[in-house]
Amino acid sequence: MLSDLVIENVAVITMDSEQRTVRDATIVVESGVVIYVGPAADLPEGVSERLGQMPRLPGRGRIAIPGLVNAHTHAAMALFRGYADDLMLQEWLTTKIFPIEAGLTPDDVYWGTLLACAEMIKSGTTCFADMYFFMDEAARAVEESGIRASLSVGMGSMAENAGGSGGPGRPDGFGAALARGSDFCERWNGAAGGRITTMLGPHAPYTCSLPFLSATAGRAGELGVGVHIHISETFREADEMRSAYGISPVEYVESSGLLDLPVLAAHCVAVSDGDIDILARHGVRVAHNPGSNMKLASGAAPVQKMLSAGVAVGLGTDGAASNNNLDMVEEMRLAGLLHKATLLDPTAVPARVCLEMATRGGAACLGLDDDIGSIEIGKRADIVLLDFAAPHLSPAGIADLASHIVYSACGADVSAVLVDGRVLMEDRRLTTLDESAIMAEAEARALRLAGRVDGNRTQ
Amino acid sequence: MLSDLVIENVAVITMDSEQRTVRDATIVVESGVVIYVGPAADLPEGVSERLGQMPRLPGRGRIAIPGLVNAHTHAAMALFRGYADDLMLQEWLTTKIFPIEAGLTPDDVYWGTLLACAEMIKSGTTCFADMYFFMDEAARAVEESGIRASLSVGMGSMAENAGGSGGPGRPDGFGAALARGSDFCERWNGAAGGRITTMLGPHAPYTCSLPFLSATAGRAGELGVGVHIHISETFREADEMRSAYGISPVEYVESSGLLDLPVLAAHCVAVSDGDIDILARHGVRVAHNPGSNMKLASGAAPVQKMLSAGVAVGLGTDGAASNNNLDMVEEMRLAGLLHKATLLDPTAVPARVCLEMATRGGAACLGLDDDIGSIEIGKRADIVLLDFAAPHLSPAGIADLASHIVYSACGADVSAVLVDGRVLMEDRRLTTLDESAIMAEAEARALRLAGRVDGNRTQ
């Protein structure tokens, strides 16, 4: 599974610390690790000797970038794609999303996650951070698909189903929720040859009491895992927290001690300058979800300010019920456009920064920055190849390649995907998953789930 | 060229006045015109008798929508894609776009327009409104590609190159500019079997004097053509107009008499409620360009207000130098997301409205609403088929199909395109254009043009 591989005559955006772009490069992968990236002429002798026996992947006409990291999603919600759109948030949650989630079985989560993995691989995502329930089945899907993921069980101690997308599911009390999340970590952390890592997933400040967050912090420390949590997704959440406790959601979480752990905070839309100071001081990593925040009308997270303050920011799609796809190429574009539009500054969040957030930033979010996030010697060979022979990516010679990827490409331009050097897709054909079977299962399961809510559907 | 054709077992979003969606339909095209769309069971006898001899296009697993109408672009600027991004508007124009445009030859415009046509067909656009220079060559490209277009020569009477994207080009005086635009209309209006129509293209209020706009209005009336103009793209434009004349750009144009003609106004970002009243009263059609307005940080046009006031609104990509692609599927999504985000209202500009703007709205913008914009009996068969067998469009059974197209699809999901019933693409293969040859020419020409500005490039 940990493959040897050579890609020749490929253009590479390495995203390494020197921001190297090489228009005609060779990439050499051994046992799933990058052992060379650069011009063919500079290949060290020890490496070039061994190239002869290694399998080739075509590089000409392709651009290689680090695999994209989806820093926040609820993968199995792919089953609910297009089921309920253009509604007010509370109506969307209470009349559509909570009722349909209530019918989910473990098998549904397995197939929904497989559907999400197929979609993510086909649009260049090699790693994702997931929070949902029935996560053993999600882990099974990740294991089979060959993708990399950081998985967490959504946990809450307060309101029933208070979270909606990725909500705490069936609350069965403080201890039971934490045990469910911890047991999952013990079963799966480091599984699938290290492709699966885990976090604890307290859902959000408004669904988790302070003692629960403190207990979560303690457990995460014992387990040696990070924490994945939603914080300040909406101004309403921030206002309600301030009314109830006189503090912000970020301050609430800080007061529990949770921020002393490695924390991945999703959204952070409604955060003040003071909140950003807290996030920076604790090294909290933020998953920015421009598509979901726009579609649910939550607002624009202060991404420029967070980056300036030194906060690591990644990009996420959120679940497909609020996006409605898991396409990180599109998410980069939305990040670039949203902030230019809302700050009225055409230099805000330039293309390179979008690509940085989707690769290195995401890797930092998941605590995997030593392993992935750039194409450089010693890192895992999680690599995406885009086919640039398309009218919408022409001409390429005078273009900034990052600009083409962020402002003009789409997920379907991804032609090949490697994780640990293993080819999960080539020429847009998946090697690990049966796309047709997954789509047929997803279709049948979605019809059954929606039928429970809306009555029988046979359209 | 005006084909007969049958598509069976296809799902259709007709966009007709009753907003009919039929999940299992037959579409029958005769001599380029739709003669039936609906369930196979309801086929009139006169039609079903003739089906036997007609050629088939596969419909199963596909969704048919009316061909998308790109209501505002500068097609040949596809040559400048990715050349200059993330800059302040004035720096972008004066140090990059104006200098590179200054080197354009008529042949460059021909090849640049061919590249744009290839890209547009591949992403489901069947008709576009263009304003640029060397338009005879653009018209030649449209004629050869089989696409439909409304073309205009960009004309100005004031500052040199004042417009940048689609600017007035080489100003050679009031009369000469108008003559150039008019002569083009006389040569090309109704050409290519009616696929090419024309407008006069006074560039913008800030580059056209009132007497020039009045003269343009007079000539348009004589020629029986409409007018394509940029109005209030930026708040700066509106502020400067108010400082100089004490009125808004819309009022300035109104005072010239131009709005008594059929007018297609691009952008209308910085328009007041009073301006919207004027637009509505005169039946002005507006091309909304969310991608370009976001990327150049111009702001969000008040689309909801304009629609409520009864203004016909279409969607445009603007030129590829500021977008950076010509993908109308993406443009629908950006329209849906931008207004939710800026109005903080998740019900703003729902999916159906996005699809409406991109089809019927665009047809109205170009004065072609009797001929195109919906799939219904008597209209030209400008039809796009999307392949729905993809993970990011699954499941489909519980989804609103318009939602899937607007919020989840991308241009690459378009698998077949018809204009006048003629197949311009099937299975993503273009039938009228040699994609590879066009990309090679575009590459060479872009390198030469950029070399004139930046010195030799051989990267």
Side-chain angles (χ1 to χ4, degrees):
Chain A
M1 288 305 191
L2 296 177
S3 317
D4 297 353
L5 196 78
V6 182
I7 312 174
E8 290 168 310
N9 301 118
V10 69
V12 184
I13 304 178
T14 62
M15 298 310 290
D16 66 12
S17 52
E18 290 155 26
Q19 294 279 352
R20 267 201 313 161
T21 292
V22 185
R23 290 234 175 198
D24 186 357
T26 298
I27 302 174
V28 186
V29 175
E30 201 168 53
S31 301
V33 173
V34 174
I35 62 163
Y36 180 76
V37 53
D42 300 346
L43 270 164
E45 217 168 283
V47 174
S48 59
E49 276 169 5
R50 309 205 297 280
L51 290 195
Q53 302 89 34
M54 290 186 175
R56 257 64 182 170
L57 204 66
R60 204 175 291 277
R62 288 172 152 183
I63 313 269
I65 60 172
L68 301 173
V69 180
N70 186 343
H72 178 68
T73 189
H74 312 290
M77 293 186 85
L79 290 179
F80 311 143
R81 189 198 317 277
Y83 170 61
D85 297 297
D86 301 321
L87 299 172
M88 294 303 291
L89 182 64
Q90 284 310 309
E91 185 186 355
W92 178 73
L93 285 174
T94 58
T95 71
K96 291 290 190 173
I97 298 301
F98 293 160
I100 199 167
E101 277 187 334
L104 277 175
T105 66
D107 268 2
D108 292 334
V109 168
Y110 169 74
W111 286 100
T113 306
L114 275 184
L115 177 65
C117 289
E119 180 188 353
M120 287 193 276
I121 295 168
K122 294 199 86 172
S123 49
T125 292
T126 55
C127 180
F128 68 103
D130 199 27
M131 181 201 291
Y132 212 55
F133 42 90
F134 302 137
M135 289 303 291
D136 289 280
E137 284 68 24
R140 215 155 46 86
V142 168
E143 189 167 33
E144 291 172 24
S145 72
I147 203 167
R148 190 184 305 281
S150 174
L151 306 175
S152 55
V153 175
M155 314 182 298
S157 65
M158 284 148 73
E160 182 169 0
N161 246 342
S165 13
R170 297 157 186 71
D172 40 16
F174 186 120
L178 193 51
R180 215 166 47 237
S182 311
D183 293 352
F184 173 77
C185 289
E186 290 181 334
R187 278 195 297 280
W188 287 98
N189 202 35
R195 280 192 288 111
I196 295 179
T197 51
T198 63
M199 300 199 228
L200 287 181
H203 172 260
Y206 61 93
T207 51
C208 295
S209 66
L210 283 177
F212 183 73
L213 291 179
S214 300
T216 300
R219 266 317 263 140
E222 289 162 18
L223 290 162
V225 301
V227 174
H228 187 174
I229 183 171
H230 302 83
I231 301 183
S232 267
E233 177 171 358
T234 65
F235 286 94
R236 177 174 164 173
E237 173 188 340
D239 290 346
E240 288 180 353
M241 178 65 74
R242 193 161 290 282
S243 298
Y245 302 98
I247 55 176
S248 73
V250 170
E251 290 167 329
Y252 177 90
V253 178
E254 186 192 29
S255 72
S256 75
L258 195 77
L259 299 190
D260 300 332
L261 278 290
V263 169
L264 167 55
H267 299 298
C268 294
V269 170
V271 290
S272 66
D273 292 354
D275 288 335
I276 294 174
D277 285 345
I278 295 171
L279 298 174
R281 197 160 59 241
H282 290 278
V284 173
R285 304 87 182 249
V286 172
H288 173 43
N289 301 267
S292 174
N293 294 160
M294 292 176 86
K295 183 149 177 284
L296 295 176
S298 306
V303 163
Q304 293 238 119
K305 281 187 180 180
M306 291 194 278
L307 289 171
S308 299
V311 176
V313 181
L315 291 182
T317 59
D318 212 348
S322 63
N323 188 306
N324 290 356
N325 60 36
L326 308 177
D327 183 343
M328 284 289 293
V329 178
E330 179 187 317
E331 217 62 36
M332 288 195 280
R333 174 130 76 251
L334 292 176
L337 295 180
L338 170 62
H339 302 288
K340 290 174 179 64
T342 52
L343 300 172
L344 295 180
D345 175 2
T347 70
V349 190
R352 276 269 160 187
V353 172
C354 298
L355 196 51
E356 175 105 17
M357 289 192 288
T359 55
R360 296 177 76 91
C365 281
L366 275 62
L368 296 174
D369 29 340
D370 288 341
D371 300 317
I372 59 168
S374 58
I375 303 179
E376 53 188 317
I377 294 173
K379 284 205 175 180
R380 315 298 311 167
D382 289 12
I383 297 173
V384 163
L385 298 171
L386 293 103
D387 186 352
F388 256 46
H392 67 285
L393 299 172
S394 298
I398 68 168
D400 180 290
L401 297 180
S403 226
H404 261 25
I405 291 170
V406 171
Y407 295 128
S408 199
C410 71
D413 296 316
V414 172
S415 57
V417 172
L418 316 183
V419 170
D420 275 341
R422 181 184 181 197
V423 179
L424 303 188
M425 180 172 78
E426 169 59 325
D427 280 338
R428 294 204 58 69
R429 274 183 296 276
L430 298 177
T431 63
T432 53
L433 299 176
D434 181 344
E435 214 177 315
S436 303
I438 292 168
M439 291 192 290
E441 273 285 347
E443 196 71 50
R445 288 170 186 276
L447 280 171
R448 181 185 53 74
L449 287 161
R452 287 183 70 253
V453 180
D454 306 320
N456 215 13
R457 292 214 180 197
T458 50
Q459 57 173 328
Chain B
M1 290 305 194
L2 297 177
S3 318
D4 296 355
L5 196 77
V6 181
I7 312 174
E8 290 169 310
N9 301 118
V10 69
V12 185
I13 305 179
T14 62
M15 298 309 291
D16 66 11
S17 52
E18 290 155 26
Q19 295 278 357
R20 267 201 312 160
T21 293
V22 186
R23 290 234 176 197
D24 186 356
T26 298
I27 302 174
V28 186
V29 176
E30 200 168 54
S31 301
V33 172
V34 174
I35 63 164
Y36 180 77
V37 52
D42 300 346
L43 270 164
E45 217 169 285
V47 175
S48 59
E49 277 169 5
R50 307 207 296 281
L51 290 196
Q53 303 88 34
M54 290 186 177
R56 256 66 181 170
L57 203 66
R60 203 175 294 275
R62 288 171 152 183
I63 313 267
I65 60 171
L68 301 173
V69 180
N70 186 344
H72 178 68
T73 190
H74 313 290
M77 293 185 87
L79 291 179
F80 311 144
R81 187 196 320 275
Y83 170 61
D85 297 298
D86 301 322
L87 299 172
M88 295 301 292
L89 182 65
Q90 285 309 308
E91 185 188 356
W92 178 73
L93 286 174
T94 57
T95 71
K96 290 291 190 174
I97 299 300
F98 293 161
I100 200 168
E101 277 188 332
L104 277 174
T105 66
D107 267 3
D108 291 334
V109 168
Y110 168 74
W111 285 101
T113 307
L114 275 184
L115 177 66
C117 289
E119 181 187 353
M120 287 193 277
I121 294 168
K122 293 198 86 173
S123 50
T125 292
T126 55
C127 181
F128 67 103
D130 199 26
M131 181 202 291
Y132 212 54
F133 42 89
F134 301 137
M135 289 302 292
D136 289 281
E137 284 69 23
R140 214 154 48 86
V142 168
E143 188 167 33
E144 290 172 24
S145 72
I147 204 168
R148 190 184 304 281
S150 175
L151 306 176
S152 55
V153 175
M155 314 182 298
S157 65
M158 283 148 74
E160 182 170 357
N161 245 342
S165 15
R170 296 157 186 72
D172 40 14
F174 185 120
L178 192 52
R180 215 165 50 236
S182 312
D183 291 352
F184 173 77
C185 288
E186 288 182 334
R187 278 195 297 279
W188 288 98
N189 202 35
R195 279 191 289 110
I196 295 178
T197 50
T198 63
M199 299 200 227
L200 287 181
H203 171 261
Y206 61 93
T207 50
C208 295
S209 66
L210 283 177
F212 183 72
L213 291 178
S214 300
T216 300
R219 262 323 258 140
E222 290 163 15
L223 291 162
V225 300
V227 174
H228 187 175
I229 183 171
H230 302 83
I231 302 184
S232 266
E233 178 172 357
T234 65
F235 287 94
R236 176 174 163 171
E237 172 188 339
D239 291 345
E240 288 180 351
M241 177 66 74
R242 193 161 290 282
S243 298
Y245 302 99
I247 54 177
S248 73
V250 169
E251 290 167 328
Y252 177 90
V253 177
E254 186 192 29
S255 72
S256 75
L258 195 77
L259 299 189
D260 300 333
L261 278 289
V263 168
L264 166 55
H267 299 298
C268 294
V269 170
V271 292
S272 67
D273 291 355
D275 288 335
I276 294 173
D277 285 345
I278 295 172
L279 297 173
R281 198 160 61 241
H282 290 280
V284 173
R285 304 89 181 245
V286 171
H288 173 43
N289 300 266
S292 175
N293 295 160
M294 292 176 87
K295 183 148 177 285
L296 296 177
S298 306
V303 163
Q304 292 237 120
K305 282 189 180 180
M306 291 194 278
L307 289 170
S308 299
V311 175
V313 180
L315 290 182
T317 59
D318 212 348
S322 63
N323 187 304
N324 292 352
N325 61 36
L326 308 176
D327 182 342
M328 285 290 294
V329 178
E330 178 188 316
E331 217 61 36
M332 287 194 281
R333 174 130 76 252
L334 292 176
L337 296 180
L338 170 63
H339 301 289
K340 291 174 178 64
T342 52
L343 300 172
L344 294 179
D345 176 1
T347 71
V349 190
R352 275 269 162 190
V353 171
C354 297
L355 197 51
E356 174 105 19
M357 289 193 287
T359 54
R360 297 177 75 92
C365 281
L366 276 60
L368 296 174
D369 31 339
D370 287 344
D371 300 317
I372 60 169
S374 58
I375 303 179
E376 54 188 317
I377 293 172
K379 284 206 176 179
R380 315 299 311 169
D382 290 10
I383 297 172
V384 163
L385 298 172
L386 294 103
D387 187 352
F388 256 45
H392 67 285
L393 299 171
S394 296
I398 67 168
D400 180 291
L401 296 181
S403 228
H404 262 26
I405 292 170
V406 170
Y407 296 127
S408 199
C410 71
D413 296 317
V414 171
S415 57
V417 172
L418 315 182
V419 171
D420 275 341
R422 182 185 180 195
V423 179
L424 304 188
M425 182 173 77
E426 168 60 322
D427 279 337
R428 296 206 55 72
R429 275 183 295 277
L430 298 177
T431 62
T432 54
L433 299 177
D434 180 343
E435 216 177 313
S436 304
I438 292 168
M439 291 193 289
E441 274 282 348
E443 196 70 49
R445 286 170 187 277
L447 279 173
R448 181 183 55 73
L449 287 162
R452 287 183 70 254
V453 179
D454 305 320
N456 214 13
R457 292 215 182 201
T458 50
Q459 58 173 325

